[in-house]
Structure formats: C-alpha cells, structure tokens
Amino acid sequence: MDVLELARTQFAVTGSLHFLFVVLTLGLAPLVAIMHTRWARTGLPLHERMTRFWGQIYLVNYALGIVTGLVMEFQFGLAWSGLSHYAGDVFGAPLAMETLVAFFLESTFLGLWIFGWGRLPKWAHVACIWLVTATAYGSAFFIMVANSFLQNPAGAVESGGRLELTDFGALLSNNALVYAFPHVLGAGLFTGAMVLVGASAYQLRRRTAEVEFFTRSMRTGVITASIGITLTVGFGYAQFAAGIRPGKFSGNAPAAVPLGFMIEGGHLFALLVLFFMLPLIRVLPRWRWTHRLLIALTPLPFALAILGWLAREIGRQPWMIQERLTVADAMTPGLTAGMVTASFAGFTVVLGLLAVVDYVLIARVIRRGPGDGLALGAADERRAPAMSY
Amino acid sequence: MEVLWFALFAVLLAGYFALEGFDLGVGLLLPVLGRTAERRDRMVAAIAPFVLANEVWLVAVAGTMFGVYPLLEGEVLFGLYPLVVAMLLAWIVRDAGLWFRRRVGGARWRRFWDALIALGSLWLSVGWGMALYGAATGFASSPVHPVGLLLGVVVTLLFAFHGWTFLGWRAPGLTGAARPGRMLVLTGATAALPALGLLAGAMGYLLDHSAPPATLNVLSLMVLPFAPLMVGAQVWVWRTFRPGKDADRIPSFF
C-alpha cells in the first residue's frame, strides 16, 4: 500500500472503531436520562437500579468513545493538514464548536453526573445527565455539519486558492446534513434500544430472578427500537429524495455494496421490529424461544451503522471536499509510509485491544445483572470511614 | 478579534497544564505514595471527579487551533508526528487505566491498570516537555534533544509537585501534610509556566496566522454565548467536589 492508501485506511479503521462506541452512546444517553428522571419522580428502587445498571453499561462503553475520539481529532492535523490549509477557515468552525463547546460541556457534566451520586441535589443530578445527552447530540450535530460540508461544500467560495466562509447559515442548512443528522440519531436510538432488548433477552432466557427489571427494560427497548428504526429508515430514504448527489452510488460498486447491505438490513429490521416485536411487546419477555434470536440480533445494528458510514464516505472518493479538493491533495505533504505504518500499528493494536476489553467488560456487567457490584452510585464507599485522618 | 482568540487559546492551554497537571502528577506519584492498593484507590478517588473536566481542556485547545489557526494546526501536529502519536497513546493508556481499574474485582487486575496510569502519566508529562521544546524551535530541531528531554524532566517534576500539593489539599491523609487552596493555585500557575513561556514567544506569530475575520466572527458568535455556561460548569465541579467533611467518602467510579 502506498502512503495515501495507508493514511486512508488508518482514518477508516479508527473512525469506524470510534463510531461503534459513539452510536451506542447516542442511543443510551437519552434512555438513561429518562430512567433517571423516572427514578427522581417516583423514588422507586426499581427505577434507581435501572438507572445504575444501564448507566454503568453506558459509561463502560463511553470510555472507548473518548479514547478513540482523541485519535480522530488529532488525525486531521497529523495526516490531513491539506484539508485545514485549503478549507480550515470553513471546516474548522464546526470542529471548533464540537470540541470547544459541545464536548467540553459534555465531559464536564458527565464527571458531575458520575461522581455527583449522593452528593448533588436530586434534580440537579438529573439535569446533569440531560445536559450530557443534549451536548452529546450537539457534538453529533457539529460533526455532521463538518462531514456534510465535505459531501457538499455549501456556504463557501474559493479565493486565493483557499476556501472562505461566506454563509454560515448554508453550512447548517446543507442538504447533505438535514436528513442525515436525524438518520444518525435514529440509528443511535435503535442501536441502544436493541442492546436493551438483547441484554434483557439474555437475562430472561437464563430465568433471572430480576423478571420485572428485565421485562420493563425489554419493553422500553422495543418501543425505543420502533421509534429509532422508523426515524432511521424514514430519514434514510429522505436523503435520496433530496441531499444525495446524483450519481454518488450508480456505477460505484465499493460504495453501492455497503449501501445495499445497509438498506436490506434496515428493511428486515423495520419489518421485524414494527410487525413482530412491537405487536407482541406484552408477551415477548415471556416467550423464551424468541430470546436466542433477540440476543443474536444485538450486534447487527452496529454493523449496519458502519456500513452506512462506509457508503457515505467511499461514495465521496476521490474527493476530500466534493469537487474542490482531492483526498490525495488533502494529505499532509511529506507524510511517509513509514510514519503512517507506525502510527496505524500503534493505534490499531492499542485501541483494538482496549475495544475487546471494553466489550468483555460490558458483557460481564450484563451477565452479572443489576445485583451487587455496580460501581456507579455504589453506597458502600460512602459508608467506609476515612482511614488515616 | 485576533487578540481575543489568542487570549482564549492561551487560557485553554495554560488551563490544561494547571488542571490536568495535577491529575498527571497524582498518576506519577502512584508508585511513590501508593504503596498499598487501598492508598492507590484513595489517590485515584481524589482526582477522579476532576479528570473528565480537566483533560477536556486539551481537546478544546486542539479544536481552537483548528478553528482559529488552521494554517498552523497541521504544521504543529505534523512537525511533531511521532511525538504526538506517542503522547496520544500515553493519554489513551492513562484514561483506559482510570476507566478500567475498578471494573473487575481482582487485585492483580487493578495493579495492572494502576501501573498503566503511572506509565501513561509519565510518558505524557515527559512528552509535553519535549513537545514544548520542539514547538519553541519551530520544529527545526528534533524533540529528542538533551534540552527537550531536560524540559520533559522539568515538566514532570512540576506536575508531580502540583499533584502532591493537590493531594495535600484534598486528601491530606495521603501526603501527611495539609496544603491550603492558595498553595494549589500557586503550584498550578507554576505548572502552567512552560506553556505560558511558549505562548509569550509565539504570540506575534499566532496573531499573524489567525483565521480571517469572517471565520472569527462566526466562532465568536457561536462560542461566546456558551462561555458563561462553560465557566459555570467548571466552577460547579470545583464547588461540588471541594474538600469537606466527606470529601474522602465520595463513591468513586474510577
């Protein structure tokens, strides 16, 4: 592989890895926020345990979202400085908004939520998880603004060999953005919901003692999955009515193949969720013969989400910014194959191992269930006296 | 407008050194002060509520660099390519250590991740000294230079001292010496000195390479309305987790 191929593969691999964790974060954040709000309203132990159990899964997943995201942010400067040289005055604005405002607030409020357990006033604590959700959606929005600009460079003109921002409104109303953003949020909700369904099915199939806990979780999952898949498929098709450049996928097999699989997968899921799982929502938790299937389905929304990104990004080749800047011209001048090979190996080995550990840890939380051993909001630490005062 | 954004950039970079400096410092001190598992738990619990609010300052620095100094962003990161990759890996390893150390109960598991926290903190601290040296020479000289390494040692010692002061402020039982908040502010300012020195030297160059006014205006309109919320959130963290009668009893997720 030459240096360009290596740099592209590095971005594709780290980006896909990042989105595997982001898509679940986007789906679980609002669900955990809703559970926490219910707990604050009712004060029921069941709602507290649901918040802590699904919150713990959300957080273990979040860890990898952060560390893979760091690699994404710095990769622009490391390997693709041609992009900031040519379009930094435009492309930099949404990226700055994402990192400087949205993620800054998200991380700060997340720390308050995790460690504010038993310390913050009840409703202030609830406000934290809603602020985390809102800023996570804000982050997703600005990243989609930046990506949509690459797909369709609206709101900018070239002057003196560089792009200049002329209309910020056009950046936000980009037709590559307005349908794709709700499509991504829907996919997040759907993925998170199917994790609720799959994990609940696992516990119910094993005849858990926590029947009420996982019955409710499964029903929440089915309802959310119905909303999520409807949004995903609806806005997915809306993109073809307006927003996708004509010819993006015709005769472009590397982009059309992942697109085809994603669409077929989306159809099958829509049929399954809306015409089987939703109508049977009352009996599904008891029908243990369906649980093996529900467990097996859990990883598929993740795979479809990655296929969607592959289609969107490969469909843009050979352009970094559609019809303005090629990927080859966006690569940092002077970058060598040796440099990219070394960084690619480092990122892949470290992030790959951590990702495996992370998924094992999530599976472990699910297997152990909402009994003892949840670190999030654990009360035993509070009872322990300070030892060496 | 250029001056305003330079000031914001400077505050973010110096703020990162002053805030994340004590997290890295406590990480560095884990093998020194944390001889028992119980002590390491308490050291990590002391920084835990602050880490997420602190490390994100560097994410903001990089984002600001992209938005305000688009021509320099690639130059800086590419100029230090191997070092930036190594520092990113160090940061990742340190964060993974914090998030994973309590996820499994075993003592060996926790010892393994604690070692990675210490190693990642050391690697990142030394890397910062070398990166500042590399940037100060305009990337003309390799950061693996005696002066760069020396600066790495200096930054590491500053962070370690800042971390020690932080523990003295928040959990005096661990260091055996209580430190007032004033002292913590002072060591924070000292930890930020290397970064401030570089910023002072690069000020003219940065001002000349700012993004055009149209971009800065958009950034100002978008970012400045959120500034009170951002400051407020950070203040809320410090108010909530300040030392008090039960500061040592916060349930720690990390």
Side-chain angles (χ1 to χ4, degrees), chain B residues 12-132:
Chain B
L12 287 171
L13 187 64
Y16 169 78
F17 273 74
L19 293 168
E20 182 71 350
F22 70 75
D23 295 333
L24 294 172
V26 171
L28 290 166
L29 293 174
L30 276 180
V32 185
L33 293 177
R35 289 299 170 91
T36 65
E38 187 265 333
R39 283 178 68 87
R40 286 197 298 278
D41 282 353
R42 288 173 52 212
M43 287 172 77
V44 173
I47 55 166
F50 299 92
V51 172
L52 286 170
N54 291 347
E55 67 176 4
V56 78
W57 286 60
L58 184 59
V59 176
V61 166
T64 308
M65 198 150 76
F66 207 115
V68 182
Y69 307 111
L71 292 174
L72 295 180
E73 200 246 0
E75 204 177 310
V76 172
L77 294 180
F78 180 69
L80 300 167
Y81 193 103
L83 185 59
V84 172
V85 172
M87 288 170 70
L88 273 173
L89 290 172
W91 190 2
I92 289 168
V93 162
R94 197 283 310 249
D95 271 14
L98 288 174
W99 282 90
F100 287 170
R101 66 187 296 280
R102 289 175 79 105
R103 296 293 78 82
V104 175
R108 275 171 61 185
W109 169 272
R110 205 170 290 187
R111 202 161 51 233
F112 172 74
W113 294 107
D114 284 347
L116 286 187
I117 295 172
L119 197 69
S121 302
L122 176 66
W123 193 349
L124 196 50
S125 306
V126 175
W128 269 116
M130 291 162 68
L132 291 178

Side-chain angles (χ1 to χ4, degrees), chain A residues 44-284:
Chain A
L44 291 176
L46 176 72
H47 291 149
E48 177 187 359
R49 292 165 72 234
M50 281 181 84
T51 312
R52 287 180 53 203
F53 177 74
W54 296 109
Q56 173 107 2
I57 291 170
Y58 163 74
L59 290 175
V60 175
N61 175 73
Y62 196 95
L64 258 278
I66 295 185
V67 295
T68 50
L70 300 176
V71 173
M72 299 311 293
E73 187 191 14
F74 285 86
Q75 227 176 133
F76 284 114
L78 288 172
W80 306 104
S81 68
L83 176 62
S84 56
H85 270 253
Y86 178 68
D89 298 343
V90 188
F91 187 75
L95 277 196
M97 282 299 297
E98 195 271 334
T99 52
L100 179 54
V101 177
F103 185 64
F104 189 93
L105 289 170
E106 183 182 348
S107 192
T108 310
F109 287 125
L110 185 70
L112 277 160
W113 186 68
I114 300 173
F115 299 101
W117 223 275
R119 184 158 249 259
L120 288 174
K122 183 168 76 174
W123 287 104
H125 196 207
V126 174
C128 283
I129 188 69
W130 280 110
L131 285 162
V132 169
T133 308
T135 47
Y137 275 35
S139 283
F141 177 73
F142 285 111
I143 291 300
M144 290 302 290
V145 168
N147 177 270
S148 300
F149 175 77
L150 302 182
Q151 310 283 343
N152 173 32
V157 290
E158 190 175 301
S159 97
R162 302 187 64 212
L163 284 186
E164 209 172 78
L165 181 63
T166 51
D167 182 359
F168 190 66
L171 219 57
L172 302 183
S173 60
N174 192 334
N175 60 12
L177 168 72
V178 288
Y179 300 111
F181 178 57
H183 175 67
V184 166
L185 292 187
L189 275 179
F190 178 63
T191 307
M194 290 305 282
V195 168
L196 254 67
V197 171
S200 304
Y202 172 81
Q203 282 281 348
L204 291 166
R205 198 178 117 78
R206 286 198 329 172
R207 299 187 190 281
T208 174
E210 301 278 356
V211 178
E212 190 188 7
F213 184 101
F214 286 108
T215 300
R216 276 173 179 258
S217 296
M218 184 181 273
R219 288 184 184 148
T220 304
V222 170
I223 291 167
T224 312
S226 311
I227 299 167
I229 194 72
T230 308
L231 287 174
T232 313
V233 172
F235 282 104
Y237 276 117
Q239 291 181 83
F240 284 91
I244 288 184
R245 182 175 45 81
K248 177 165 182 169
F249 295 111
S250 56
N252 183 353
V257 169
L259 181 78
F261 277 107
M262 182 200 70
I263 292 176
E264 282 312 310
H267 281 165
L268 290 175
F269 264 125
L271 286 174
L272 185 73
V273 173
L274 297 176
F275 296 103
F276 174 69
M277 285 163 62
L278 188 60
L280 295 173
I281 187 167
R282 299 225 61 85
V283 293
L284 208 57

